[in-house]
Amino acid sequence: MMSHSLKSNLGEKIVGKPTPRKEGPGKVTGEARYIDDLSFPDMLYGATVRSQIARGMLKKITFRPDVPWSEFVVVSVPDIPGKNYIALIENDQPCLAEKVVNHPEEPILLLAHPDRYMLPNAVAAVSIEYEPLPALFSIEESERKSEIIWGQDNVFKSYQIEKGDVDAIWAKADYIVEGEYSTGAQEQLYIETQGVIATYDCEQGVTVWGSMQCPYYVHKALMVVCDLPEDKVRVVQTETGGAFGGKEEYPSMIAAHAALLARKSGRPVKIVYDRAEDMAATTKRHPSRTRHRTALTKDGKILGGEIEFVIDGGAYQTLSPVVLSRGTIHAGGPYHWPAVRIIAKALATNAPPHGAFRGFGAPQSLFAMERHMDRIARTVKVSPAEIRRRNFLKPGQTTITEQTISEPIDLEKLLDRALVLSDYESKKSRFRQQGKNGKRKGGLGIAAFLHGAGFTGSGERYLSSVVGIEGQPNGGVRVLVSSTEFGQGTNTVLCQIAAEALGLEYGDVAIAQPDTAQVPNSGPTVASRTAMVVGKLLESAALGLKQTLIRAGMLGEPYAAEEFRCACRAYMERYGELRSLARYEQPDGIHWDDQKYRGAAYAAFAWAVYVAEVSVDLTAYSVSVDDFVALQEVGRVINPVLARGQVLGGVAQGIGFALYEKVEWRHGRMQNSQMTNYIVPTSADVPPIRVYFEEIANQHGAFGAKGIGELPMDGPAPAIVNAVEDALGIPFNSIPLMPEEICEALTAAAGPPSAGHSFSGVR
Amino acid sequence: MRSNPAEFEWAAPATLEEAVKVLAGDPDAWLPIAGGTDLMVQFAAGTLERRRFLNIWNLGELRRIDGFPGELQVGAGSTYTDLRENDIITREFPLLGRTASWTGGIANQNRGTLGGNVANASPAADSLPALMVYGADLILTSTRGDRRVRYEDFHTGYKRMNLAPDELIRTICLPRRFSGYISYARKIGTRKAQAIAKVCIAAVGRLAKDSTQLMLEDVRIAVGSVAPVPLRLRNAEQLLNRRPLDEARVELACKAAAAEIQPISDLRSTAKYRAQIVNNLVREFLDTLAARERER
């Protein structure tokens, strides 16, 4: 379904078409080289000696004598030439622990050896004595402050949002609805584990190749740890087998480790984590707890409310302030709040730092919001669809940060369409008729939500990204960005945008391998910003390239693709280089107040209504997602196959978040760091996912694009748990929702042992 | 990978006779490996204690399925795929084919063997309850000769079994007397496929007309993942056999089953959930029996 504003764009030849993936053939034929496929002459393999306890003072390190230590390179804190921290926001996370450890996977020493198989024994042969200190393992323990493990109060960051007069609403309320909701940690589980190769050379400095999302983050971290100037650090992204946010900040750590070993040994060093180390030691989604207290009129309109949103950041601050920020701004969902107070905190615990994961705080606070909407519906006694309809944001109204909705989004229509597509009403009456008998119970759940595209608030202005494009000797062009491909489609979508902007064929556009020595800093590949923000800059850079040819008198408009190629070749023959750069400038009318947390939080929001159909097996207490409708408005869809793929993957990951993926913690350490016991859904657990798009062109995005990558992670969990409540009449407010909890709830409701279905006998 | 391949030795005898000889030479040092679907996981995790692998994968004597008049003899080296594709198993021992289809994915089923599954002795193994209810015998072999034991008594404790260090499992023998039985099996895993069982069950039984009413006959129920070993629910069976199938019986049988199992809480599930599931599955089995009877 197209909206009016898109009509003018329908002449597009490449944007909006399912062009094949640029890197697809390499991946399919096996020509693509991932980091562990690469090998350098004289290369060593590195490994990490980690803390064994959650918190304590390091006392003594001993090396068991039965290991030939002379064959090993050993790096400890004194080998760090620069500063001992991984540069990010607060710079509180050491590269190697020096006096204290703050989580049970903290790196202490690094080892390298020519034979990778010699490393596990050697790691085990380093014994470390500690003086243990009391540790904190949950939001509640951190809040109680029985120990102060970070700063003055265990608080990494807090925000407060105030809109309207919250204190005045309670007296006017017909209903006040309260609820508490929580979400668990979740592992990104990219197929390719973290890995890098580093080389070090006195002349050239340090070079790191690796699997990553943000080459310039790694670049910055290496400059600090290695004490090298900008031009002596080079970072190259190799083919990356999945990331989901998990390769936003952690690659800086593993790259710094490999660089230190390379510097000390004078040889290339590869570090590739095995699955168990990757799962246990690297970042996961922040566990969260959200409390809602909402004032409503008698017909269920929100008067206002208080929301408390708390996330567990783990042992170091890392990206927690930014995750908290996005979670806070999304905490009110796609609803109109005349008055709201949001208090948000990221707290320290003695677990490995939690970090970026698709959705970045929003799936947590939106789970709470959308579960709470169903609670409100039940209290006010209107349907879940109707309660949402009565409270949806409308154009001209403002969000919780008082950003005015200026685009013509009609959430009621979006909801109506989702209900029709999911056959909601007739399924609902069928489930009602099934009543209490039967071995399975069906239910339907709705989630309505939004997701802001690009960096929050002033983020894009601070990033000040630069994007380039250059002519090629064959007359085609090459895109120059540090934006990375990790399965989501960056290469393809950016090449489509450049080809469309220049009137070229898709095949005329190539994209450079992200290499900090070759490409400008187009910002990190995060926050659903690439198609929208980087794409828009690329469009500008491409137009600049075209103007250069026109001004040189080599090209006149209109032109055919072949004329462009001729002009490009001619220009390069005469001048040697044809290149155009574009730098981000904040669009007019976008204002953000970082102090009051007020203003235009995002340049664009994507909107969605998802409907989940589940059945609960009353013998096994397991939930099966049987049908799923994912309807979203994401601006212009640049590549329909890749966009659909983003939604399919996001919904599958959301099903895992809701029903399967449970990190079993023990004293801050993940116990189930294997794929046999950390359970993600397989194709057998994922229903047919029916994906639909609405398109409202976004003036801030390339050809009208908004962000899409994270959005589909936000809705599935609340839609599914809402559906479970619809099926069983029991509210569950914590995910992952495991069969054991459903068993507990149902058997408690049914009384002692012989629950389950009743025996029907022989007639 | 956390094991160092250089620290491991690999012997690959060409025949079963040679294999038992090698094993007899230093029984405690060798670790027989067939499909390796579990051992390779432990190898990768660096948790194997023994350092010498004795490869018995694809030995001709072990990889055969022979139907004799009274008995089906399944070579211990038969893979899950072999079991799934065998006509006699499909017809007469359907639980074995079905449970074989639950283990791992296609690749695992092409490698994993029934004998390996028995010797690996995981209480959560999918196929072992089926062997129990079918009253399997095992033929064990060594340089000292063969001996035949009841499978039901084979597992003596967690990962402990009635198998001498110099012995290999040669054959799994199944009496061909279960045609006409109603069979039931279910696995409650951590997800719908490629999962390890939280609870699994296999059961067979018959309903026979006594003078006036339908009586349960030869009900056999075995469960996995709720005790240190795969477990036959003997007490529950006894309460059911030669009795009419009614709610009171079901109740009694479920109570008996609950007393026989020893579930634990672990990374996969809780003891309480497992106990409730055994209760529900025993009921579901008896319900299935009743429903089949109604269909007749």
Side-chain angles (χ1 to χ4, degrees):
Chain A
M1 191 180 287
M2 302 276 172
S3 76
H4 302 294
S5 43
L6 274 178
K7 290 270 161 64
S8 59
N9 291 339
L10 291 178
E12 288 153 5
K13 288 203 288 270
I14 297 168
V15 158
K17 302 291 186 298
T19 55
R21 279 179 180 276
K22 278 286 171 188
E23 76 293 350
K27 284 178 172 169
V28 171
T29 58
E31 270 178 28
R33 287 287 171 264
Y34 295 84
I35 193 67
D36 210 12
D37 297 324
L38 302 176
S39 189
F40 289 25
D42 292 326
M43 188 172 78
L44 304 179
Y45 294 88
T48 315
V49 178
R50 299 179 180 280
S51 165
Q52 295 298 314
I53 65 165
R55 183 166 173 246
M57 310 290 291
L58 291 175
K59 284 287 144 200
K60 194 176 163 199
I61 299 178
T62 43
F63 294 80
R64 212 174 62 208
D66 60 330
V67 170
W69 290 110
S70 62
E71 296 172 12
F72 287 81
V73 181
V74 180
V75 159
S76 60
V77 173
D79 296 305
I80 298 173
K83 299 204 171 65
N84 183 15
Y85 63 76
I86 301 299
L88 202 56
I89 298 171
E90 188 73 20
N91 302 329
D92 61 330
Q93 180 170 224
C95 178
L96 293 173
E98 189 171 5
K99 295 192 179 76
V100 293
V101 291
N102 286 305
H103 68 81
E105 299 288 346
E106 188 147 14
I108 297 170
L109 282 182
L110 305 167
L111 307 177
H113 192 278
D115 180 353
R116 73 195 309 173
Y117 299 121
M118 293 289 282
L119 288 161
N121 271 342
V123 168
V126 180
S127 84
I128 297 164
E129 283 172 42
Y130 310 88
E131 187 183 309
L133 292 167
L136 306 174
F137 299 118
S138 66
I139 285 172
E140 287 69 28
E141 286 178 21
S142 185
E143 268 175 338
R144 276 197 294 273
K145 300 190 190 107
S146 57
E147 284 289 312
I148 299 299
I149 61 166
W150 200 91
Q152 302 301 307
D153 52 5
N154 296 336
V155 180
F156 287 131
K157 186 75 187 180
S158 61
Y159 300 110
Q160 183 159 348
I161 290 179
E162 286 269 353
K163 178 188 180 187
D165 186 357
V166 179
D167 298 320
I169 60 174
W170 308 110
K172 296 183 222 156
D174 294 304
Y175 297 97
I176 295 173
V177 180
E178 295 184 44
E180 180 176 313
Y181 310 89
S182 65
T183 63
Q186 186 186 19
E187 163 62 28
Q188 294 90 355
L189 213 77
Y190 28 72
I191 293 175
E192 182 201 27
T193 55
Q194 306 265 357
V196 294
I197 298 175
T199 61
Y200 199 99
D201 178 296
C202 293
E203 296 283 295
Q204 290 173 10
V206 65
T207 305
V208 167
W209 291 260
S211 181
M212 64 184 73
Q213 288 177 245
C214 312
Y216 276 97
Y217 279 9
V218 177
H219 187 265
K220 179 179 162 192
L222 288 171
M223 283 168 59
V224 172
V225 168
C226 298
D227 191 26
L228 288 170
E230 208 174 327
D231 60 337
K232 295 279 191 246
V233 176
R234 181 181 163 209
V235 179
V236 186
Q237 184 226 7
T238 49
E239 198 73 68
T240 296
F244 308 108
K247 291 172 185 169
E248 177 168 354
E249 74 261 49
Y250 203 86
S252 298
M253 175 72 87
I254 186 171
H257 290 169
L260 291 172
L261 285 166
R263 182 175 177 275
K264 186 154 185 186
S265 64
R267 292 164 66 170
V269 174
K270 176 192 276 189
I271 305 181
V272 175
Y273 290 169
D274 70 5
R275 182 65 65 187
E277 182 172 23
D278 192 291
M279 288 177 83
T282 73
T283 60
K284 283 170 206 27
R285 183 183 301 289
H286 290 69
S288 78
R289 185 196 69 202
T290 309
R291 289 175 176 149
H292 274 267
R293 183 162 186 257
T294 312
L296 299 132
T297 65
K298 63 179 185 312
D299 53 0
K301 286 203 79 159
I302 295 173
L303 289 166
E306 286 178 326
I307 307 172
E308 182 209 52
F309 177 57
V310 187
I311 61 173
D312 171 352
Y316 296 106
Q317 194 200 51
T318 61
L319 289 169
S320 289
V322 206
V323 172
L324 182 70
S325 160
R326 186 171 281 267
T328 304
I329 293 170
H330 287 74
Y335 304 109
H336 180 237
W337 295 78
V340 69
R341 174 179 297 136
I342 305 181
I343 293 171
K345 278 182 291 188
L347 300 179
T349 61
N350 294 107
H354 297 298
F357 188 167
R358 192 179 207 169
F360 210 71
Q364 290 95 317
S365 62
L366 283 168
F367 172 75
M369 183 70 249
E370 283 305 276
R371 283 295 295 135
H372 194 61
M373 282 313 271
D374 269 29
R375 176 173 295 208
I376 290 172
R378 218 168 41 250
T379 309
V380 179
K381 297 189 176 62
V382 300
S383 73
E386 185 56 28
I387 198 75
R388 287 171 171 83
R389 200 184 296 282
R390 289 179 191 176
N391 288 291
F392 275 144
L393 271 168
K394 293 178 183 62
Q397 291 180 329
T398 62
T399 66
I400 55 170
T401 65
E402 297 177 48
Q403 173 172 6
T404 305
I405 301 299
S406 53
E407 60 181 326
I409 180 68
D410 186 340
L411 290 170
E412 284 198 55
K413 266 175 71 182
L414 206 66
L415 174 65
D416 287 338
R417 190 176 169 209
L419 296 178
V420 170
L421 289 167
S422 59
D423 200 15
Y424 186 86
E425 292 304 336
S426 69
K427 276 183 181 167
K428 192 101 176 168
S429 69
R430 208 179 326 141
F431 292 146
R432 261 195 305 271
Q433 280 159 19
Q434 279 172 358
K436 285 189 173 171
N437 296 319
K439 290 161 77 172
R440 304 185 76 84
K441 278 191 176 181
L444 287 165
I446 300 169
F449 53 103
L450 75 175
H451 199 96
F455 263 49
T456 302
S458 330
E460 291 294 346
R461 189 154 52 82
Y462 291 133
L463 275 179
S464 189
S465 301
V466 178
V467 165
I469 187 164
E470 64 181 9
Q472 295 285 282
N474 67 1
V477 297
R478 194 165 80 131
V479 176
L480 303 171
V481 290
S482 64
S483 307
T484 50
E485 170 69 49
F486 38 87
Q488 83 285 38
T490 295
N491 289 350
T492 308
V493 163
L494 292 182
C495 289
Q496 283 179 276
I497 289 167
E500 189 72 57
L502 291 173
L504 288 171
E505 317 277 342
Y506 177 62
D508 290 328
V509 185
I511 187 160
Q513 180 177 30
D515 174 344
T516 57
Q518 301 286 327
V519 299
N521 186 353
S522 61
T525 308
V526 302
S528 307
R529 66 185 288 277
T530 303
M532 181 176 105
V533 179
V534 179
K536 185 77 177 176
L537 287 174
L538 178 59
E539 202 184 334
S540 309
L543 295 177
L545 199 78
K546 184 168 85 179
Q547 285 307 316
T548 305
L549 293 177
I550 291 171
R551 277 199 303 273
M554 292 173 168
L555 191 65
E557 285 189 290
Y559 57 83
E562 184 49 30
E563 291 172 85
F564 180 97
R565 290 190 287 259
C566 285
C568 178
R569 281 194 295 267
Y571 189 97
M572 291 186 67
E573 270 163 35
R574 191 178 306 169
Y575 301 105
E577 189 184 74
L578 172 62
R579 188 183 266 236
S580 164
L581 297 174
R583 181 180 288 276
Y584 180 83
E585 278 168 38
Q586 185 112 340
D588 290 338
I590 295 196
H591 301 291
W592 175 254
D593 181 337
D594 244 335
Q595 297 309 310
K596 292 183 177 146
Y597 245 60
R598 189 176 295 168
Y602 299 100
F605 288 98
W607 309 88
V609 177
Y610 285 6
V611 181
E613 180 191 339
V614 306
S615 57
V616 184
D617 179 327
L618 299 178
T619 308
Y621 312 108
S622 55
V623 178
S624 169
V625 184
D626 298 332
D627 187 27
F628 203 97
V629 165
L631 170 64
Q632 47 257 303
E633 191 289 307
V634 294
R636 181 73 164 122
V637 172
I638 305 284
N639 186 313
V641 169
L642 292 177
R644 184 166 175 271
Q646 286 295 296
V647 177
L648 297 177
V651 171
Q653 223 157 20
I655 290 172
F657 183 45
L659 297 174
Y660 297 94
E661 301 186 39
K662 185 173 190 181
V663 177
E664 297 283 355
W665 297 103
R666 188 160 180 273
H667 304 319
R669 167 174 277 135
M670 182 182 193
Q671 297 300 296
N672 51 335
S673 59
Q674 285 179 296
M675 289 178 62
T676 56
N677 48 28
Y678 181 78
I679 305 300
V680 294
T682 70
S683 53
D685 306 293
V686 175
I689 298 164
R690 300 191 278 141
V691 181
Y692 304 93
F693 292 107
E694 301 262 343
E695 299 176 87
I696 300 175
N698 163 32
Q699 55 164 327
H700 303 300
F703 295 96
K706 295 176 179 175
I708 189 175
E710 296 172 289
L711 176 82
M713 186 73 223
D714 295 340
I720 288 165
V721 180
N722 286 344
V724 173
E725 179 173 5
D726 185 45
L728 300 178
I730 300 173
F732 293 97
N733 295 317
S734 185
I735 50 171
L737 173 57
M738 308 303 276
E740 285 74 7
E741 286 152 62
I742 296 176
C743 172
E744 194 79 41
L746 281 177
T747 50
S754 64
H757 61 282
S758 67
F759 182 73
S760 48
V762 185
R763 257 163 273 142
Chain B
M1 188 168 71
R2 298 190 180 183
S3 287
N4 182 354
E7 294 174 359
F8 286 78
E9 198 177 319
W10 183 266
T15 63
L16 182 59
E17 195 188 341
E18 262 183 70
V20 289
K21 265 191 208 154
V22 174
L23 191 56
D26 194 352
D28 290 317
W30 291 102
L31 185 56
I33 179 168
T37 51
D38 207 61
L39 291 180
M40 283 298 107
V41 176
Q42 297 173 48
F43 180 76
T47 54
L48 282 178
E49 274 171 29
R50 281 190 263 184
R51 292 283 184 268
R52 297 164 92 179
F53 283 117
L54 176 67
N55 179 31
I56 54 169
W57 167 252
N58 221 10
L59 288 179
E61 301 97 314
L62 294 183
R63 196 164 177 187
R64 52 188 298 168
I65 300 176
D66 299 307
F68 297 104
E71 180 169 278
L72 182 73
Q73 295 203 345
V74 181
S78 304
T79 65
Y80 298 108
T81 304
D82 296 339
L83 303 180
R84 291 184 68 179
E85 290 175 351
N86 184 277
D87 288 340
I88 300 176
I89 291 178
T90 307
R91 261 196 325 270
E92 298 178 33
F93 305 98
L95 294 179
L96 196 53
R98 264 185 79 195
T99 54
S101 76
W102 291 340
T103 300
I106 301 294
N108 292 67
Q109 291 175 10
N110 286 340
R111 287 291 303 189
T113 65
L114 186 58
N117 203 219
V118 171
N120 191 51
S122 163
D126 299 322
S127 305
L128 303 186
L131 293 186
M132 289 223 157
V133 300
Y134 287 137
D137 280 350
L138 302 180
I139 300 175
L140 312 176
T141 187
S142 69
T143 52
R144 297 174 289 126
D146 286 2
R147 65 184 176 115
R148 185 164 171 143
V149 300
R150 280 199 338 155
Y151 174 62
E152 197 182 325
D153 308 326
F154 182 71
H155 300 288
T156 56
Y158 180 69
K159 296 254 173 189
R160 289 171 50 184
M161 59 207 111
N162 179 11
L163 181 75
D166 67 339
E167 281 179 319
L168 292 174
I169 301 168
R170 175 201 278 272
T171 310
I172 295 99
C173 308
L174 301 166
R176 297 176 72 172
R177 62 174 197 79
F178 292 99
S179 56
Y181 277 66
I182 293 162
S183 58
Y184 166 86
R186 193 163 171 194
K187 170 179 178 171
I188 308 299
T190 48
R191 62 186 162 209
K192 284 180 188 162
Q194 304 241 45
I196 302 175
K198 292 177 177 181
V199 176
C200 56
I201 184 170
V204 295
R206 283 188 308 192
L207 279 166
K209 263 231 163 65
D210 198 16
S211 51
T212 53
Q213 53 187 347
L214 283 166
M215 306 289 268
L216 290 161
E217 267 195 19
D218 203 14
V219 168
R220 306 157 76 93
I221 310 171
V223 286
S225 216
V226 287
V229 295
L231 200 67
R232 180 103 180 252
L233 298 178
R234 285 281 185 184
N235 296 343
E237 290 174 9
Q238 212 173 356
L239 284 163
L240 292 164
N241 283 327
R242 280 188 273 279
R243 301 286 180 172
L245 180 51
D246 56 33
E247 176 60 31
R249 274 294 125 189
V250 173
E251 197 67 44
L252 276 176
C254 286
K255 283 225 170 73
E260 282 179 278
I261 59 174
Q262 307 146 48
I264 56 164
S265 295
D266 59 13
L267 282 179
R268 277 199 300 286
S269 191
T270 62
K272 194 173 170 193
Y273 174 82
R274 288 181 157 120
Q276 182 65 45
I277 292 294
V278 168
N279 172 79
N280 294 1
L281 295 182
V282 169
R283 278 175 171 272
E284 190 172 72
F285 162 56
L286 297 172
D287 224 4
T288 306
L289 275 180
R292 293 285 176 78
E293 187 51 42
R294 282 199 300 273
E295 281 163 22
R296 281 189 192 179

